[in-house]
Amino acid sequence: MQRIPVAEREDWKETAVEHGFDFHSIDGDPYWDESAYYRFTLRQIEDDLEEPVEELENLCFAVVERAVSDEDVLRRLAIPKNYWSYIQESWQRQEKNFYGRMDFSYDGTGPAKLLEYNADTPTALYESSIFQWVWLEQAMERNLIPEGCDQFNSLHERIVEALGRFGIDGPLHLACASGSEEDSGTVAYLEDCARQAGLQTVLMKIEDIGIDPAGRFTDTEDHVIDTVFKLYPWEWLLAEDFARHIPESSTLFIEPVWKSILSNKGLLALMWEMFEGHPNLLPTFFADDPKAASLGDTYVRKPLYSREGQNIELVCDGQAETIHPGDYGAEGHIVQAFHALPDFTGNYPMAGCWLVASAAAGMCIREDRSLVTGDDARFIPHVILD
Amino acid sequence: MKRSKSISLLAMSASVVALTACEEPAVDAAVFENLSQCLADQNVERAQCEAEYKSAKDQHAQVAPKYQSKQDCEADFGSGQCETAPYQTQSGGSVFMPLMMGYMMGSMLSGRTGVASQPLYRSTSDPNNFRTADNRKVGNTIGRTQVARSTSRAPSMKSSTVSRGGFGARARSFGSVAG
C-alpha cells in the first residue's frame, strides 16, 4: 500500500459536472482529491480486505440472529421496545438487505481492523462507484498512472443487479431528507441504477411522506408507497411521529429494519463478545460493561449512534479529546481499543469496503488530517497494481 | 478484473440523455367503455370480457385518484362524474374518486402479453381521451388499439393522504446522514 502523488486531470471539475457529481467540493473545500492515489497489490485487496469483509458480514448475521431472540441485547443497543417484534419479523421474513460499508484501519500489512459498519445509510457511494472508475480509465488513458491498473470496484454492476433482485413490482420510491446535496446525489445515483435495472422510480423527500386513512404511506401524488429506499437512518425513523405507522404500513423498506442492529456501534461490542480475538476485530465493550476497564486509559469512546465521526472521543492516557463535536451520545456509548489509522505524511486514510447484497464489491479511501475521519475527509482514488 | 466492466448513467449524466429520449415501444391492447361493448366485439370471447371487466372493476376503488372533497374531484373529472370511495379519513370524513369510464385489457390477438387490465377515466382537461388511473393517455379508440408500454403497466394504488411531515425532524437538527 503506497500513497502516490499524481497530476490531476485538468478538466476533472468539468468531468464531474458532466457525470452529475455536484458535491465534489464541500463548502468550497475539495472533497474529491485526485492529487494522490493509493496503490494496493491484488493480494492485499483479496486477502486482507475482500475476504475478511465477507467473513465479518457472516459474523454480523450471527449477531442479528442472537439479537432478535435476546431482548437483553436489543435493550443494550437502545432500540425502542415498541419495535422489537417488528425487527424480529423483518429478520424472520428474510427481508433482503441492499448495501453497506465497513470502515477499516489498514496500512497494507497485517489484518485490517474493523472500526465500524455503516450498514444503514452509507454515502460516498456514487464517487466510489462511478467517479473513481472514470478517474482510473482517464488517468491510464492520459498516462498519469501506469497501464494495467485495476480497481476494487464492481459497485455499479452489483448495485444494478441487486436492485433487479428485490422482486419489486410497481414503482420504487427513493427518499432522503432535504437540505443535503450529498444525500440527494446518492439517491439520484441509486435512482439511475434502479432505472437501469428496469424499475419505475419516484424520487421524493422523507418530509413529504404522507399517511392515508388505512395507515399506509403515500407519496406527494397520493400513491401508496409499496417499496421505499430510504437514505435516512432507522434510529431516526423509529423516533419520529410516523414511526407508529411503520409496522402495519405494509411498506417494504430498503434497508430492512433488522439492519438497525448492524448500524448501531453496539454491534462492535457484541461482535467482540461473541468472537473475541478475531484478527479483524478490536477489543470493544459497552461503556457500562465492567470489562471496559481492561482497555486501560487509552481508548476510543463512540456513541451508539453517531455519524460523520461526531462525538467520537480519543482518550489518551486518560485525557479525552473530541475532534468533531456534535449532538450524539444520548443513547449510550461503546469503548474500543485505540488502533490508529496509518499515517501517510500527515494524511490518515480510512479504507471503506463496500458490500452489495452482502458480497464485497469495492472500496473507497477517505483521508482526514486527523485520526478521526469526519465529514471534511477527502476522497482519494485507489488502484490495484502488482 | 476487480472493477465493473462498464458503467452507464441514464439521467444523471449530461452525455447520454439521448438514450432516454427514444420513442417508447407500443403494445397491443383493447379498450371498451363497458361490458356490453366488449361482448359485442367479435374478436373477444365472452369469458375474457367478463373476467377482464371484473378485474378492472375490482381495482377501480384502489387505483382511482382520491380526493377529500367532492368539489376537488369534480373540478378534475366533471360535474356528476365522481362517487364516494369506500374509505374514510381518520376523522371520519368521506373520500371521493372519479367514476370508471371504461377499461383496458391485453389484446387477445397478441397473446395478451404484458398489458395489465385496468379501469379507465376521462378528465375535464382532456375529455376525448381515456386515461389510466395513473393519468397516462390511452387515446379514444374503442376495441383494438395500441398503447405505449408504460401505459399498459398496472396502475398504482391511490389513496388520500391525511397528514404529512411525520418524518424528517431529526434531519433538521442533525443534517446529512453521511455515514
Side-chain angles (χ1 to χ4, degrees), chain A residues 42 44 68 75 141 146 168-169 205 292 313 336 349 353 369:
Chain A
L42 185 61
Q44 285 172 328
V68 296
R75 195 173 298 115
E141 205 177 279
I168 297 166
D169 184 24
K205 294 298 173 196
E313 266 177 29
Q336 188 176 52
C353 287
R369 296 223 160 80

Side-chain angles (χ1 to χ4, degrees), chain A residues 114-336:
Chain A
L114 180 65
L115 300 177
E116 53 186 74
Y117 187 7
N118 296 284
D120 189 14
T121 60
T123 52
L125 183 66
Y126 164 83
E127 49 276 38
S128 300
S129 173
I130 299 290
F131 207 61
Q132 177 174 231
W133 192 96
V134 170
W135 169 83
L136 183 81
E137 296 291 325
Q138 293 189 343
M140 281 197 289
E141 205 177 279
R142 301 178 191 185
N143 297 316
L144 302 174
I145 59 173
E147 272 175 45
C149 286
D150 197 3
Q151 196 170 65
F152 181 19
N153 182 11
S154 58
L155 273 166
H156 187 75
E157 286 175 356
R158 305 286 186 98
I159 289 170
V160 173
E161 197 179 288
L163 283 166
R165 287 217 193 115
F166 274 96
I168 297 166
D169 184 24
L172 168 67
H173 287 75
L174 300 104
C176 68
S178 53
S180 162
E181 221 179 348
E182 191 181 3
D183 296 358
S184 312
T186 304
V187 171
Y189 172 55
L190 288 173
E191 182 192 30
D192 205 300
C193 292
R195 289 175 52 190
Q196 295 183 45
L199 302 177
Q200 287 173 268
T201 56
V202 180
L203 210 55
M204 67 183 301
K205 294 298 173 196
I206 204 96
E207 296 90 335
D208 290 337
I209 290 180
I211 190 84
D212 83 352
R216 297 171 304 182
F217 292 115
T218 56
D219 64 17
T220 55
E221 303 278 305
D222 288 352
H223 295 190
V224 173
I225 300 175
D226 289 325
T227 310
V228 63
F229 168 83
K230 47 100 218 144
L231 190 70
Y232 197 78
W234 267 113
E235 71 267 19
W236 293 2
L237 285 175
L238 293 182
E240 295 183 348
D241 277 356
F242 277 177
R244 60 202 155 92
H245 297 299
I246 293 175
E248 302 301 322
S249 65
S250 78
T251 297
L252 179 75
F253 286 83
I254 302 173
E255 302 294 329
V257 71
W258 59 260
K259 267 202 148 179
S260 61
I261 295 168
L262 302 183
S263 64
N264 184 307
K265 291 190 180 55
L267 167 76
L268 300 158
L270 293 167
M271 287 176 92
W272 185 253
E273 188 178 304
M274 293 169 71
F275 310 106
E276 188 179 329
H278 188 285
N280 298 109
L281 297 176
L282 290 168
T284 308
F285 307 95
F286 287 96
D288 57 5
D289 181 342
K291 286 185 197 150
S294 66
L295 295 179
D297 58 5
T298 296
Y299 54 86
V300 183
R301 185 168 177 267
K302 299 178 174 181
L304 292 185
Y305 302 120
S306 151
R307 287 159 199 281
E308 304 180 324
Q310 289 177 13
N311 299 98
I312 291 180
E313 266 177 29
L314 292 184
V315 181
C316 197
D317 296 329
Q319 298 288 315
E321 184 191 3
T322 304
I323 291 170
H324 306 287
D327 299 315
Y328 297 99
E331 292 83 5
H333 294 80
I334 56 158
V335 290
Q336 188 176 52

Side-chain angles (χ1 to χ4, degrees), chain B residues 38-110:
Chain B
C38 181
L39 293 174
D41 190 313
Q42 301 292 313
N43 293 315
V44 195
E45 283 172 31
R46 182 181 187 93
Q48 200 199 343
C49 281
E50 286 170 347
E52 307 276 350
Y53 176 74
K54 183 174 183 310
S55 161
K57 194 83 188 154
D58 288 349
Q59 289 175 64
H60 166 54
Q62 294 182 323
V63 302
K66 303 298 188 306
Y67 296 84
Q68 285 176 52
S69 91
K70 193 170 184 176
Q71 246 180 336
D72 289 349
C73 183
E74 291 191 340
D76 285 354
F77 293 93
S79 176
Q81 301 301 303
C82 290
E83 61 182 321
T84 311
Y87 301 109
Q88 284 199 321
T89 64
Q90 274 175 339
S91 53
S94 297
V95 174
F96 301 90
M97 62 185 185
L99 297 170
M100 174 171 147
M101 301 302 284
Y103 68 111
M104 176 164 72
M105 56 203 262
S107 163
M108 34 284 117
L109 298 177
S110 62

Side-chain angles (χ1 to χ4, degrees), chain A residues 60-127:
Chain A
C60 287
F61 289 158
V63 172
V64 178
E65 188 71 46
R66 175 180 162 201
V68 296
S69 55
D70 185 344
E71 296 190 345
D72 185 51
V73 171
L74 294 171
R75 195 173 298 115
R76 283 153 83 195
L77 294 173
I79 291 172
K81 190 172 181 176
N82 296 348
Y83 302 103
W84 288 357
S85 59
Y86 176 56
I87 293 171
Q88 285 155 354
E89 285 158 19
S90 149
W91 175 251
Q92 278 148 12
R93 274 198 299 269
Q94 301 185 318
E95 287 181 358
K96 285 197 179 78
N97 86 92
F98 183 25
Y99 78 104
R101 195 190 70 231
M102 290 183 185
D103 288 335
F104 292 93
S105 171
Y106 178 62
D107 65 2
T109 62
K113 298 290 186 184
L114 180 65
L115 300 177
E116 53 186 74
Y117 187 7
N118 296 284
D120 189 14
T121 60
T123 52
L125 183 66
Y126 164 83
E127 49 276 38

Side-chain angles (χ1 to χ4, degrees), chain A residues 342-383:
Chain A
D343 181 349
F344 287 83
T345 56
N347 297 294
Y348 300 95
M350 180 157 78
C353 287
W354 293 101
L355 295 107
V356 177
S358 293
M363 179 170 67
C364 61
I365 305 279
R366 284 170 312 142
E367 252 186 20
D368 205 302
R369 296 223 160 80
S370 81
L371 281 168
V372 178
T373 309
D375 71 340
D376 50 353
R378 288 158 296 112
F379 189 111
I380 313 284
H382 80 273
V383 308

